[in-house]
Structure formats: C-alpha cells, structure tokens
Amino acid sequence: MTVIMALTSLLVCSDAQAVQVLSRILQDLGITVEACGDLRMAHARLCDRHFDALLVDCKDEPDALDLIAQARKNPANQDVVAIAIVSGRNEVRGIFAKGANFILYKPISRERAAHSMRAACSLMQSERRTRPRIPVQAESSIAYAGKENVPAALVDLGEDGIAFRSDSKLPPYCKVYFQFALPGNTSLVRLSGEVMWQDSSGRVGIRFAQVPRTSRRVLNDWLQANLPSASEATLEAPQDSTNVDDPGSRLSAGLGLLSVSAADRRNLSRHACCLGAEVYRANSSVATRCTLIDIGLGGCYLETTETFPSGTALEILVRTDDLRLRIHGKVLGTHPGFGMGVEFSLRTDEHRKQVQQLIACAQAEPKLST
C-alpha cells in the first residue's frame, strides 16, 4: 500500500488575523500548519525538521530574508517553497532575488491568497497528471499582460491544458491568449488559459480557462485522432528543473503581475484586478459590459466577448461603492471572443488622478455596483 505523506508548512507571522486566514487556507488544501510568531524559534524549527512550505512575514525584512536563506542552506529544507508576506513598504524585487517563490500582500485577502496557495501547493506536490498529454509541434501566437503576437512553440496538449516554450518569462498569475492551428488541421484554435508553472528552460504550463465551442470541438477531434495507447500516453508531471542555488530563476507566482526579473516587467506596472465596467464606442450610447482584469497608468485589459477593431476610440465607465469614473482610451489589440487591450488617453492631471484612484480601488478590492 502506498502511503502519501501530508504536506507540511511553517507559518512565521505575529499577525493573528493573517495567521487565522492562512492557516484555514492551508488546512483546506490538506497542508499541515505549524504557526510560529518568533523568528528565533522558527530558525530552530527549520534546523529540526523538513517543511514543504515556509510562509514568513517580512515586517522585519532583513531577518525574514535571513530565515529564507537559512532554509535554503539546510539540506532538509533547500527545496522549501518560500512565501513572503509583504506590505507596500517592502522591496518585492529584492525579496524575489533573495529566494522567495511567492508573494502575498497585506492585508491578506482570502480569495487571492487561496489562489496563490493553490499554485504553491501544485509546486509542492509531485503527483503525476491524471490526463495524458500528447506531444505536438506547432507554432502559436500568444498575448498576455499588454504584449501582443508573441511567438511560442507548442510542446504538448491535453484536454485541460497546454505547454509551450517561450523566449520570455511570463508574469505569474496572468491570463494567456492563444491562436494556433494544429498539425494536419486548417481550423484556427483560439482560447485562453492561466499560467500554472514555468521552468528555467522556458517551458510554460497553462491550464485552460475559456475555450469557445468551435475551438473545443477542434481540440477534441485532434486529441482523439492522436491519442496513443495507454502504455504510450505521456503522464509525466512538470518538473521544476531550476537550480536551487539560483532562486531568482525559480518558479514564482504572486498577486498582480509581478515577475522575478525586472526585465520581464512592463515599463508601466500593471495591477491585477477584477472590476466590472461599461464600455462605449465614441459617439455611441450603447454600453458593452466588460470585466477589467488589469490596469496601470498606461492602459488596461478588458475581458469581453464583444471586441472592437484596433484604433477604436472608447470611453470606459467604472462604478464602485465610492467612485464613478470615466476614462478615455483606444483599442490597441483584440482577441476575438476574449477581450481587448486598451491604451489610456490621459490629457490632463485630472485624467491621471482618476486612473490612480481606479488603481487604488483595484488594489483595495472594492465591491462593485455595476
């Protein structure tokens, strides 16, 4: 009989509310939690036993980073998944560079923390996939986080996800939009998915999020035609082949569109969000309902099944409990059936102030009244 050992975590934090929320999330994921409010005691526990995850409050950033460094030096914990709990005062890039895999922002949001912890859990687990992946060689065009028509090479494909190689590191916790044709098939497949893992060789694993009916039919037909026998099917789980001594290149996932490398970030930082919005074309009173999924001073991304051509002038209306904002912009790129990227037209200080207010709303996760 195979015995599956429970995953274990050390939670180093003196904030009682954060400890309560995170402990519940970890327990719901089947991860045993040992809470510790003292850094010196945490050092001792890391020397005593193995942990799969280390969650540490970076209120005292130098000591917190020292704790992560100590864990990496201990043979029993050198592969520990390090999760830094930070505030706006912390230097996130430096924390990633010192070995953190994930970032959680204070105040801890249960929904977003649960998303990141699920990603962390998938990194900790070594179980195999239950659905076969079929190797595939095809070129794809992808778009993500303000980037359009980025070339990518497909590696394998399954019912629930896809893997590809990319020359650029993708932001964690972001949606990716695909457009490709499968070998032997002229029908174009369009779909969206979420980044689940990526390794130092440039491979990226995607879990499907939205697959239109026509694209699903094409995928299923191709999978059925190319599915090998059970003995030949690929059931291999993605492995993080990153060198432990190079924490900056390890898989990282956090909240918003953070990346380990500054070169992977946009010139104008974007903030992940989920805000209801109404969009109007210039000189039109007909509203299109959308979901604003990221925003920065330069622009935003709108998820909608009704997209407009590139260059279309727009007016975006967002209402929250406290604000009612109108922002002007134009469409930069579209992904039919999924959404479109928008560049803001900020002509005055008042326009910029409105966008800053909206960014603050997104970060505070307001309740919408749309």
Side-chain angles (χ1 to χ4, degrees), residues 30-349:
I31 302 173
T32 302
V33 186
E34 180 177 330
C36 176
D38 183 80
L39 283 168
R40 287 177 296 178
M41 186 180 298
H43 276 279
R45 295 302 294 143
L46 286 168
C47 291
D48 289 342
R49 58 168 296 188
H50 163 78
F51 291 96
D52 297 289
L54 170 63
L55 296 87
V56 57
D57 191 344
C58 290
K59 181 178 180 180
D60 185 344
E61 186 172 318
D63 286 346
L65 296 180
D66 182 61
L67 184 68
I68 294 174
Q70 181 209 335
R72 298 278 185 231
K73 294 176 182 177
N74 187 331
N77 288 299
Q78 63 181 5
D79 292 324
V80 69
V81 175
I83 302 161
I85 304 168
V86 305
S87 67
R89 295 188 300 271
N90 293 111
E91 175 50 53
V92 172
R93 270 187 267 179
I95 292 173
F96 272 131
K98 293 293 185 180
N101 300 97
F102 292 77
I103 290 291
L104 292 176
Y105 274 106
K106 299 179 193 174
I108 298 297
S109 157
R110 178 172 177 80
E111 181 180 354
R112 291 193 175 185
H115 178 95
S116 288
M117 289 312 306
R118 284 193 293 271
C121 185
S122 69
L123 181 58
M124 288 183 268
Q125 291 171 330
S126 59
E127 61 186 354
R128 293 180 179 272
R129 293 193 185 111
T130 59
R131 295 183 181 181
R133 287 292 179 95
I134 299 174
V136 58
Q137 292 185 351
E139 298 302 316
S140 173
S141 171
I142 64 173
Y144 60 91
K147 295 188 178 181
E148 310 287 338
N149 299 317
V150 179
L154 302 187
V155 175
D156 62 39
L157 175 66
E159 292 180 18
D160 56 357
I162 196 168
F164 65 89
R165 291 190 184 276
S166 173
D167 292 335
S168 302
K169 191 174 181 68
L170 276 66
Y173 185 50
C174 79
K175 276 196 172 179
V176 181
Y177 299 85
F178 287 84
Q179 180 171 290
F180 59 88
L182 291 165
N185 197 315
T186 58
S187 299
L188 207 58
V189 175
R190 293 187 177 94
L191 53 84
S192 69
E194 296 177 326
V195 173
M196 299 305 295
W197 58 269
Q198 50 189 315
D199 63 22
S200 58
S201 71
R203 288 200 312 162
V204 183
I206 299 291
R207 181 180 63 188
F208 293 152
Q210 293 174 303
V211 184
R213 186 177 302 174
T214 53
S215 292
R216 171 57 72 186
R217 188 183 305 117
V218 173
L219 286 175
N220 288 346
D221 289 347
W222 190 88
L223 288 169
Q224 286 297 323
N226 291 274
L227 187 66
S229 64
S231 62
E232 296 172 340
T234 302
L235 297 173
E236 179 183 356
Q239 298 294 321
D240 181 7
S241 59
T242 310
N243 189 329
V244 173
D245 294 330
D246 184 13
S249 63
R250 293 171 63 94
L251 171 67
S252 65
L255 305 181
L257 299 175
L258 296 172
S259 174
V260 176
S261 170
D264 296 329
R265 304 183 69 182
R266 299 179 219 174
N267 291 332
L268 294 175
S269 177
R270 289 289 183 94
H271 304 271
C273 58
C274 185
L275 300 174
E278 293 177 357
V279 176
Y280 298 84
R281 300 178 74 162
N283 303 318
S284 172
S285 60
V286 179
T288 300
R289 287 189 172 270
C290 306
T291 301
L292 196 156
I293 64 168
D294 75 23
I295 185 171
L297 286 175
C300 67
Y301 194 91
L302 298 171
E303 278 196 343
T304 174
T305 55
E306 182 180 350
T307 57
F308 304 131
S310 296
T312 301
L314 300 176
E315 184 179 51
I316 304 169
L317 173 62
V318 181
R319 289 191 294 262
T320 74
D321 291 339
D322 303 315
L323 296 171
R324 186 175 186 275
L325 302 176
R326 287 185 179 271
I327 304 171
H328 295 271
K330 68 176 181 180
V331 178
L332 278 184
T334 64
H335 308 103
F338 296 109
M340 51 192 172
V342 175
E343 180 183 32
F344 292 147
S345 301
L346 306 179
R347 301 185 182 92
T348 66
D349 289 340

